[in-house]
Amino acid sequence: MSSVDVNLEIGGMTCASCATRIERKLNRIEGVTATVNYATEKARVQADGVDAATLIAAVESAGYTAVLPAPPAQSQVVSPSQADPEVTALRHRLLVSAVLATPVALLSMIPVLQFTNWQWLALTLAAPVAVWGAWPFHRAAAINARHGAATMDTLISVGVIAAFGWSLYALFFGTAGMPGMHMTFSIIGNPDAGASEIYLEVSSAVTVFILAGKYVEARAKKESSAALRALLEIGATQATLVRDGVETLVAVESLKPGDHVVVRPGEKIPSDGLVVEGVSAVDASMLTGESIPVEVTVDSRVTGATLNVSGRLVIEITRVGSETELARLGRLVEEAQTGKAQVQRLADRVSAVFVPVVISLAILAFVGWLLTGASLEFAFTAAVATLIIACPCALGLATPTALMVGTGRGSQLGILIRGPQVLEQTRRIDTVVLDKTGTVTTGRMAATTVQTFAGTSREDLLRFGAAAEDGSEHPIARAIVTVAGGSPARADDFRAHAGYGVQALVEGQLVMAGRASWLEQEWSISLPSDVRAAVAVAESRGETAVVVAWDGEARGLICVSDTIKPTSAEAIRRLRALGLTHVLLTGDNDGAAHAVAAEVGIEDVRSGATPAIKLAVIQQLQSAGHVVAMVGDGVNDAAALAAADLGIAMGGGTDAAIAASDITVVSGDLLVVGDAIRLARKTLGTIKGNLFWAFAYNVAALPIAMLGLLNPLLAGAAMAFSSVFVVTNSLRLRRFRPLADAR
């Protein structure tokens, strides 16, 4: 059996350590090399002599599920708006748990509400929350325990079980179930009163807080598939099929190699093919990133989903379905997402140490009190109290509150942050890779230089040039008409020569506007040395030089190029001030790339990059030890955005680029990229501060619990205080200001 690539959809993962565990399990199989991604819930496996059933069995033996992905045709019929069942189930679990837990918390913490036998109502409401609501955490903790690991889920499960279990003991075997029982407040708890105290509000509140955080994370995680969906939506859905001279509108999926289709101006090319009739300009920026359309004629190869700008084309289809360039680009994005390293959550890393320490301290308290001669109930009370106080109420709020406030402030500033995993990447970023067209530049053609010759005035040059170009829909022609201003003069007998230029009669003069070589060869117009020199300079800068001639003489030169955004140079300076190095990565030609880089202050330039090359450059930088942020806006950037440690999409870009990214800058202003990184770092800093204080509260209370002096109401109040502190600390993010507005 030969080596094959197998993709598996993994189910049951709860954290990044789960992905690592599955990866290790698969890689132990001889002939298998596997990469598992927690965010996309997919495994990419290179198997030599191993079938899919063996791989699936290995994943299942680790306690997770694995299935082969659905065929492309089947997966494409899924409605983009269809709700994800996992996210829907989690939202349902959260809402039900919150409704049940709220009265439990109020009854437990407000003595005036504690009517006779209130504790039994609290138990009735809390039981579904502690068992059903917290079930995902109990299941994850069991899987982790089986593998000798501890995560945030373990800490939650242990705390909830300890609090709920002790409450059951106190209600059924102690005095807490007696009519008239009240939760009384005292600074120091009574060591012998453990059997009269319940902690139902602890088990309920913690479950709701953590479920809220899980729901936010799940929603963000599921959006990773949006990149592939957006790519599918880029292509044409219908095509005009020509058979025996009859044109028929058909679905793109029905096309076969050898079919002939008609593509008119403004229509998308339905699939990869070969031009058999017609000349036109095709906007291929989705693949190349170049803002100037590509001229095509008979025998030119064209790509599906690119846009026919000007002439009518008849195309012979050569590739369809999964063989097209668009499908290949989709696979690049999917592979980039699957291979993207995901950092383990900060809370999980701390929990891996904290949980074993807490359990050890609980055992120490139990054994220690027994050795000092205390009663079994006293020793057990101290041990369980130690586990209860470690229950992470504030920890459950630490990440979601900071994320909610940080992302809310970001949305006000036009910065959309996808999820918490994004924030952990920003602190380590050292390199920023920037696409050129639409990111550093506007992506729109504009006239940059107007130069006259042979005593011609600027006004005459623009009047004649704009009149001749007015009949063309080409972006270069529109840029010339725009710079001339006003309404162009009337032109007669207009003719376009695709890829070369145009001709027209203007005010009785035959005017030609186009390439210098075309004027020389087709119209025998001799170009003086100063004209040749001006053309050479323009082309060295990556500009398109349009020579305008009439009366058999070159009258002037209009240079057209993509224009740099006004804020780009300042944005590069600000990114450098954040300690980041820059790379300009573009599909455009070398001259245009270096001209833009020189103007904005970027030294490392990579030009002529296809989507696959862009992806390779990102991976090369990562292999060299760099942590990379990619900033782009086009379909051709989607794979690189997905593979980068931090993908930042410009809001004016394509849906595919936005879906593949981690942060979206709505305005498309490169200045905001620096603010986005600063906000993400600030939000992460707040999360880390929240986690520190939340753990500090637990650590400070542990000695009190071990001594058996933990009062339930005091513990509840302290837990509430720590939660309020976390929320208040997170609210400080609302004061974040963009650098331009900082005072």
Side-chain angles (χ1 to χ4, degrees):
M1 190 181 293
S2 59
S3 178
V4 294
D5 282 339
V6 180
N7 289 318
L8 298 175
E9 294 180 353
I10 308 296
M13 292 191 293
T14 60
C15 61
S17 60
C18 293
T20 305
R21 195 173 299 130
I22 298 169
E23 200 170 279
R24 282 201 301 262
K25 189 81 173 178
L26 288 170
N27 285 326
R28 286 196 193 107
I29 303 173
E30 188 175 352
V32 169
T33 304
T35 303
V36 181
N37 184 278
Y38 168 58
T40 60
E41 295 184 320
K42 289 182 180 178
R44 188 183 176 200
V45 187
Q46 193 171 47
D48 188 2
V50 181
D51 60 12
T54 304
L55 300 173
I56 291 172
V59 175
E60 290 176 343
S61 69
Y64 305 90
T65 63
V67 294
L68 292 169
Q74 182 178 341
S75 54
Q76 284 180 23
V77 300
V78 178
S79 170
S81 60
Q82 185 175 338
D84 184 272
E86 181 184 341
V87 176
T88 302
L90 191 54
R91 181 173 65 245
H92 177 68
R93 194 182 297 269
L94 169 61
L95 291 175
V96 172
S97 298
V99 169
L100 295 175
T102 301
V104 175
L106 293 174
L107 285 170
S108 301
M109 301 188 71
I110 304 176
V112 73
L113 298 179
Q114 294 171 2
F115 55 86
T116 303
N117 291 323
W118 69 271
Q119 66 271 40
W120 296 104
L121 174 61
L123 175 63
T124 304
L125 296 173
V129 180
V131 178
W132 174 78
W135 181 251
F137 312 124
H138 300 324
R139 180 182 177 279
I143 293 173
N144 288 322
R146 223 172 77 191
H147 297 279
T151 65
M152 183 77 166
D153 292 316
T154 309
L155 183 57
I156 298 158
S157 181
V158 168
V160 170
I161 290 173
F164 187 71
W166 183 254
S167 299
L168 288 178
Y169 172 81
L171 286 168
F172 288 99
F173 301 104
T175 59
M178 300 294 291
M181 187 278 268
H182 288 278
M183 298 274 280
T184 57
F185 180 83
S186 62
I187 300 298
I188 301 296
N190 182 358
D192 297 312
S196 65
E197 299 170 347
I198 60 175
Y199 299 88
L200 294 174
E201 83 285 359
V202 174
S203 61
S204 302
V206 167
T207 299
V208 171
F209 288 152
I210 306 296
L211 278 175
K214 286 282 187 181
Y215 174 65
V216 171
E217 184 179 357
R219 282 186 58 186
K221 187 156 64 80
K222 285 300 177 185
E223 287 175 4
S224 59
S225 61
L228 297 178
R229 188 168 65 239
L231 273 173
L232 292 175
E233 292 171 352
I234 286 171
T237 56
Q238 293 182 314
T240 305
L241 179 67
V242 180
R243 192 168 288 164
D244 299 328
V246 179
E247 295 185 5
T248 310
L249 201 62
V250 299
V252 168
E253 291 79 10
S254 67
L255 294 177
K256 302 184 296 294
D259 284 344
H260 285 204
V261 296
V262 173
V263 184
R264 293 180 172 81
E267 294 180 346
K268 288 181 180 178
I269 294 171
S271 193
D272 296 1
L274 194 68
V275 177
V276 294
E277 182 184 323
V279 290
S280 182
V282 173
D283 180 357
S285 58
M286 62 161 282
L287 294 175
T288 65
E290 290 192 46
S291 50
I292 302 175
V294 179
E295 307 293 342
V296 297
T297 185
V298 175
D299 291 335
S300 296
R301 293 202 171 274
V302 290
T303 305
T306 54
L307 183 67
N308 181 20
V309 176
S310 51
R312 177 183 181 274
L313 296 174
V314 178
I315 297 169
E316 180 181 333
I317 300 299
T318 56
R319 290 185 295 190
V320 296
S322 61
E323 301 300 317
T324 64
E325 192 68 19
L326 183 63
R328 190 178 72 85
L329 184 55
R331 288 193 293 274
L332 277 179
V333 174
E334 186 169 20
E335 288 167 8
Q337 287 182 325
T338 304
K340 186 173 182 176
Q342 296 294 320
V343 292
Q344 191 178 16
R345 288 182 305 178
L346 191 57
D348 280 333
R349 294 201 300 274
V350 178
S351 298
V353 177
F354 188 70
V355 173
V357 168
V358 168
I359 293 174
S360 300
L361 290 175
I363 295 171
L364 180 64
F366 180 74
V367 174
W369 280 114
L370 286 180
L371 292 177
T372 61
S375 66
L376 180 64
E377 184 177 85
F378 185 96
F380 192 65
T381 300
V384 173
T386 302
L387 294 175
I388 291 172
I389 199 61
C391 200
C393 227
L395 283 177
L397 287 169
T399 296
T401 53
L403 181 65
M404 184 169 62
V405 179
T407 53
R409 179 60 182 146
S411 64
Q412 291 175 342
L413 301 174
I415 302 166
L416 306 182
I417 302 173
R418 173 165 293 183
Q421 73 281 359
V422 172
L423 303 173
E424 297 209 29
Q425 302 288 9
T426 60
R427 74 184 194 277
R428 302 180 299 122
I429 296 297
D430 58 38
T431 303
V432 176
V433 177
L434 299 135
D435 172 50
K436 180 183 75 71
T437 308
T439 302
V440 178
T441 66
T442 62
R444 296 185 299 273
M445 304 301 293
T448 54
T449 306
V450 178
Q451 192 170 351
T452 60
F453 304 103
T456 306
S457 68
R458 175 186 171 92
E459 290 73 19
D460 285 345
L461 176 66
L462 290 176
R463 188 172 82 256
F464 279 92
E469 294 281 11
D470 190 43
S472 172
E473 292 299 322
H474 197 288
I476 292 176
R478 305 326 302 163
I480 292 174
V481 172
T482 299
V483 75
S487 299
R490 175 183 171 81
D492 299 310
D493 197 20
F494 169 83
R495 294 183 190 178
H497 303 265
Y500 299 104
V502 298
Q503 67 178 83
L505 284 172
V506 182
E507 298 179 7
Q509 298 280 359
L510 178 59
V511 179
M512 291 79 69
R515 295 178 185 268
S517 57
W518 176 62
L519 293 177
E520 286 185 308
Q521 295 166 11
E522 292 296 320
W523 299 95
S524 300
I525 294 176
S526 178
L527 299 182
S529 58
D530 55 347
V531 176
R532 292 177 182 275
V535 170
V537 168
E539 291 179 346
S540 70
R541 296 196 300 259
E543 298 177 343
T544 299
V546 178
V547 180
V548 182
W550 65 85
D551 273 346
E553 193 173 1
R555 300 289 182 162
L557 183 70
I558 303 175
C559 297
V560 176
S561 71
D562 186 7
T563 54
I564 296 173
K565 292 179 180 178
T567 57
S568 291
E570 176 61 23
I572 298 300
R573 283 192 289 272
R574 292 188 184 181
L575 290 172
R576 189 174 288 114
L578 290 172
L580 306 172
T581 56
H582 310 88
V583 177
L584 187 68
L585 181 62
T586 176
D588 216 336
N589 62 73
D590 194 60
H594 277 88
V596 169
E599 190 165 338
V600 299
I602 300 176
E603 296 178 0
D604 190 346
V605 181
R606 320 281 178 96
S607 58
T610 63
I613 291 175
K614 288 189 174 187
L615 174 60
V617 169
I618 298 294
Q619 293 170 337
Q620 286 167 7
L621 288 168
Q622 290 170 329
S623 299
H626 295 288
V627 183
V628 182
M630 170 72 192
V631 186
D633 75 318
V635 175
N636 61 320
D637 302 317
L641 286 165
D645 298 286
L646 181 70
I648 303 175
M650 307 306 275
T654 63
D655 290 343
I658 292 170
S661 66
D662 302 307
I663 294 176
T664 300
V665 174
V666 176
S667 67
D669 186 348
L670 198 57
L671 272 179
V672 184
V673 171
D675 291 328
I677 293 175
R678 287 176 51 246
L679 175 60
R681 286 179 175 178
K682 184 79 171 175
T683 306
L684 176 64
T686 301
I687 290 174
K688 291 166 76 173
N690 286 347
L691 289 173
F692 170 79
W693 287 110
F695 274 110
Y697 151 74
N698 291 69
V699 171
L702 281 173
I704 301 174
M706 292 176 70
L707 291 171
L709 302 177
L710 183 66
N711 178 278
L713 204 60
L714 182 63
M719 190 173 289
F721 172 77
S722 66
S723 299
V724 169
F725 174 83
V726 162
V727 172
T728 305
N729 190 43
S730 298
L731 289 174
R732 293 189 306 120
L733 286 168
R734 293 192 301 183
R735 298 202 297 266
F736 177 86
R737 294 286 182 272
L739 199 59
D741 296 338
R743 294 291 183 264

